[in-house]
């Protein structure tokens, strides 16, 4: 089921409009989801439509949040996301933040009372257009034990950053702080496949290659105790400092339909122009990129990649050739569409 | 050679005074080095005295830098470190930054034209006393290849952060973005020992357990391509954005005695009070700490540790019982002391 990204975006936008979002808010959510698919991050793309729609229809998420500034200083913003979709709340945060960063040089933005925000890269893309260096992080429902434990405490707390470049494409990097997303283990279990050692531990805290046992245990942080530390830091900034939930006090997106998630986010925007001219900065970034791309390659390596370059290459391909959703995802969003009166078949497939 | 930290500090301070540092600057350097030993980070402690003194005496480092503000906005500072010792330059950066963060809510501080700054934790400790969340990062001479390459490009670019707590000790975390410091491989090679797989690659980019081959190749980033991305990000903030050297354009501390290193640092300070009352924040951090410490432990794990807790425990022990330098380090700093007219034997050992 190959579909052009602009057609998919129109379809997704119609779905969210039909469950109560304004035109503008629907477009933001559609844009975020399809952007994830374009970049090859299908776990955060249109596959999320059924759960998002379910939460909106159950009243667990506010379709049109009134995002408010609660605290403000020259260099900081604290926002209440009014239990809106994280994509909408985060977009508002970036809009307010860009203004402040361009005025005052930089900003730190805390957000509480939000929900799953999709990919961090989506916000990074919005911000770096303004010659800003940008960071986006968020906490998430528990799936990862503290190092030495086995009971999930932290989420896979994503960390994303963006660095503008000149003649080269900007560097946009977006990662989970777990070795892999829990979704990959669910998918292995469904197929009856083993998982590689190092992805997860079982319910006794023992390393396991058994997907079922892993799901009863915990995913592992990337880089061992160092990744654990970074995941904790993200939860402190996104959850503890903002007044959002943290650790197991962030509610599950796939349950708790009578409760708001109270996810927290944290963004950072830095105006390059307060350090050096953006042109000079971009020349220096280009120099770093060129030096890395032309560095001698290890045996068996075809090309040295920059952080986020895999996603960039997929995006180039999918913008041109469309997005292949796979039958299962296609059917699931088709079904949701029909429930709310939007037929994907009327949107042109390739 | 067990020695009380305060005696060691006096000795170290006298050494740096004797090579031209002011009393105040000598005390900063001594404090930073001995703090590293107290925390068990002996690689960044007094073992560095010989190379620091050598660079000062050769004129490669400015003993009493005039750290200047080059660019300034409400939320940013760009400083020129005047080729001073990183400990002195960084301390000045924190002093200026704390003032701005308390006034305006937060700050991002870039520093160029500096040198090796010791441990990031030293600056974190200074900043978090003021109810700030603090970050410290720095670039460093090349020892680590980009992911897929084998020729060193990035340094082991350290990343440190600090989070104030209430009844619990603050969380102070300080890591290299390599799996291990290159020094550990040098030490294995000296002893004729193998190194664990995963620490390094040889000059063809192949994983190796041979320390000698590893030293001809490159150390590996923690967490594979994710650690590579974080190391790159640190170099962009510390080196590219500040106008310092970056990648292989940072000069080697153990060579280039006719050149300044042009190391860059990047600090971030965030006033907790602009988000919530520091008391409330600390209660929430305590709650997170308590929940983690009492979480069920994996099989074979005696205690779940917080990021930086190992260093905290060593510090408690060494503050009470003194620091054991080991004969080799003791002899090397004794020798440097005698060269500049300071005799460690006159400082009380235990």
């Amino acid at each position: 089921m190959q579909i052009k990204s602009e057609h998919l975006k129109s379809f997704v936008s119609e779905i969210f409009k039909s469950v109560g979002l304004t035109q503008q808010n629907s477009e933001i959510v559609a844009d975020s989801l399809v952007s994830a698919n374009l970049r090859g991050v299908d776990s955060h793309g249109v596959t999320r439509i059924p759960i998002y729609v379910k939460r909106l229809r159950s009243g667990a998420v506010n379709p049109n949040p009134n995002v408010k500034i609660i605290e403000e200083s020259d260099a900081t913003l604290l926002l209440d996301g009014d239990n809106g979709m994280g994509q909408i709340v985060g977009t508002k945060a970036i809009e307010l933040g860009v203004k402040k960063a361009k005025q005052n040089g930089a900003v730190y933005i805390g957000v509480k009372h939000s929900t799953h925000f999709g990919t961090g890269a989506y916000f990074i893309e919005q911000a770096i257009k303004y010659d800003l260096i940008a960071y986006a992080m968020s906490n998430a429902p528990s799936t990862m034990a503290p190092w030495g434990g086995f009971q999930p405490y932290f989420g896979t707390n994503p960390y994303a950053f963006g660095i503008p470049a000149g003649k080269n494409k900007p560097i946009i990097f977006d990662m989970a702080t777990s070795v892999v997303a829990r979704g990959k283990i669910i998918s292995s279990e469904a197929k009856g496949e083993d998982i590689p050692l190092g992805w997860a531990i079982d319910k006794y805290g023992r390393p396991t290659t058994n997907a079922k046992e892993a799901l009863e245990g915990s995913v592992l942080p990337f880089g061992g105790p160092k990744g654990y530390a970074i995941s904790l830091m993200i939860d402190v900034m996104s959850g503890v400092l903002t007044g959002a939930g943290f650790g197991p006090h962030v509610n599950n997106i796939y349950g708790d339909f009578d409760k708001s998630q109270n996810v927290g986010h944290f963004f950072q925007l830095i105006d390059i122009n307060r350090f050096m001219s953006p042109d000079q900065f971009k020349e220096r970034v280009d120099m770093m990129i060129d030096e890395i791309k032309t560095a001698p390659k290890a045996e068996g390596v075809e090309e040295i990649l920059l952080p986020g370059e895999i996603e960039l290459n997929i995006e180039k391909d999918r913008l041109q050739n469309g997005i292949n959703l796979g039958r299962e995802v296609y059917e699931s969003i088709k079904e949701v569409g029909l429930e709310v009166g939007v037929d994907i078949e009327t949107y042109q497939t390739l």
Side-chain angles (χ1 to χ4, degrees), chain A:
Chain A
M1 289 298 149
Q2 202 87 352
I3 184 166
K4 276 272 189 197
S5 58
E6 59 268 32
H7 299 146
L8 185 57
K9 227 177 261 186
S10 304
F11 165 69
V12 177
S13 182
E14 279 307 305
I15 286 197
F16 285 97
K17 256 172 75 181
S18 72
V19 291
L21 275 68
T22 63
Q23 175 73 29
Q24 194 190 5
N25 285 341
S26 303
E27 282 174 10
I28 289 170
V29 176
D31 197 33
S32 165
L33 292 175
V34 176
S35 290
N37 286 116
L38 277 174
R39 290 167 48 82
V41 188
D42 294 322
S43 58
H44 287 62
V46 296
T47 188
R48 299 279 182 153
I49 291 175
I51 186 66
Y52 284 160
V53 167
K54 188 169 177 190
R55 291 190 75 80
L56 283 160
R57 295 179 90 186
S58 77
V61 173
N62 181 354
N64 298 301
N66 178 18
V67 179
K68 279 188 296 280
I69 297 176
I70 314 172
E71 300 277 354
E72 184 169 14
S73 74
D74 290 338
T76 61
L77 279 171
L78 176 62
L79 307 179
D80 185 317
D82 196 21
N83 194 32
M85 294 184 72
Q87 292 86 348
I88 298 166
V89 176
T91 297
K92 185 70 186 174
I94 294 294
E95 186 194 315
L96 293 167
V98 166
K99 207 173 146 195
K100 192 177 275 284
K102 295 308 276 189
Q103 266 172 6
N104 296 350
V107 68
Y108 297 86
I109 312 162
V111 182
K112 69 173 170 182
H113 209 195
S114 187
T115 66
H116 188 254
F117 77 5
T119 69
Y122 181 64
F123 307 107
I124 300 298
E125 279 177 346
Q126 294 175 41
I128 63 173
K129 287 176 202 156
Y130 299 94
D131 287 343
L132 300 168
I133 294 171
Y135 294 79
M137 38 194 129
S138 181
N139 63 15
S142 302
T143 50
M144 193 161 80
W147 192 250
F150 60 81
Q151 208 170 70
Y153 187 89
F154 295 108
T156 52
N157 301 351
Y159 182 84
F161 63 80
I163 299 161
K167 68 176 173 64
N168 292 297
K169 289 270 189 182
I171 296 173
I172 297 176
F173 181 70
D174 189 354
M175 69 171 189
T177 45
S178 53
V179 176
V180 291
R182 196 162 183 274
K184 286 206 185 173
I185 302 175
I186 293 174
S187 148
S188 296
E189 202 242 346
K191 294 182 211 153
E193 289 172 5
D194 275 355
I195 56 169
L197 201 67
W199 280 16
I201 47 178
D202 68 15
K203 66 180 171 185
Y204 307 103
R206 294 179 303 211
T208 184
T209 57
N210 182 301
K212 190 164 173 291
E213 286 174 13
L215 291 175
E216 293 164 358
S218 167
V219 298
L220 284 167
F222 87 103
K226 291 183 180 183
Y228 155 50
I230 291 176
S231 192
L232 177 145
M233 177 276 289
I234 294 171
D235 204 8
V236 168
M237 304 314 288
S238 305
V240 178
L241 180 66
T242 62
F246 58 84
H249 314 291
V250 175
N251 290 315
N252 193 341
I253 186 171
Y254 293 102
D256 303 321
F257 287 96
D258 55 337
K259 285 187 209 148
S260 62
Q261 278 197 280
N262 203 8
V263 169
H265 316 310
F266 200 76
F267 302 100
Q268 302 178 180
L269 306 175
I270 301 140
D271 189 10
I272 291 163
N273 200 33
R274 307 305 176 116
F275 291 88
M276 62 172 58
S277 86
D279 283 349
Q280 194 192 351
F281 175 80
K282 289 173 188 172
E283 260 176 44
R284 288 165 66 84
V285 172
D286 281 341
M287 181 173 158
M288 179 184 269
I289 291 174
D290 294 344
E291 286 175 349
I292 291 173
K293 292 299 292 182
T294 57
K297 294 181 277 292
E299 261 182 27
V301 171
E302 272 186 31
E303 188 183 0
I304 296 180
L305 296 172
L306 289 160
E309 194 172 352
I310 292 175
E311 289 79 6
L312 210 64
N313 291 338
I314 297 175
E315 186 177 50
K316 199 176 159 192
D317 171 67
R318 293 192 174 180
L319 272 172
Q320 203 175 344
N321 302 316
I323 297 165
N324 187 342
L325 290 178
R327 173 144 306 273
E328 205 181 329
V329 171
Y330 182 81
E331 292 300 337
S332 78
I333 65 173
K334 179 179 170 180
E335 192 186 318
V336 174
L338 292 176
E339 273 173 34
V340 298
V342 190
D343 185 358
I344 197 168
E345 303 284 348
T346 65
Y347 293 80
Q348 189 191 325
T349 52
L350 297 175

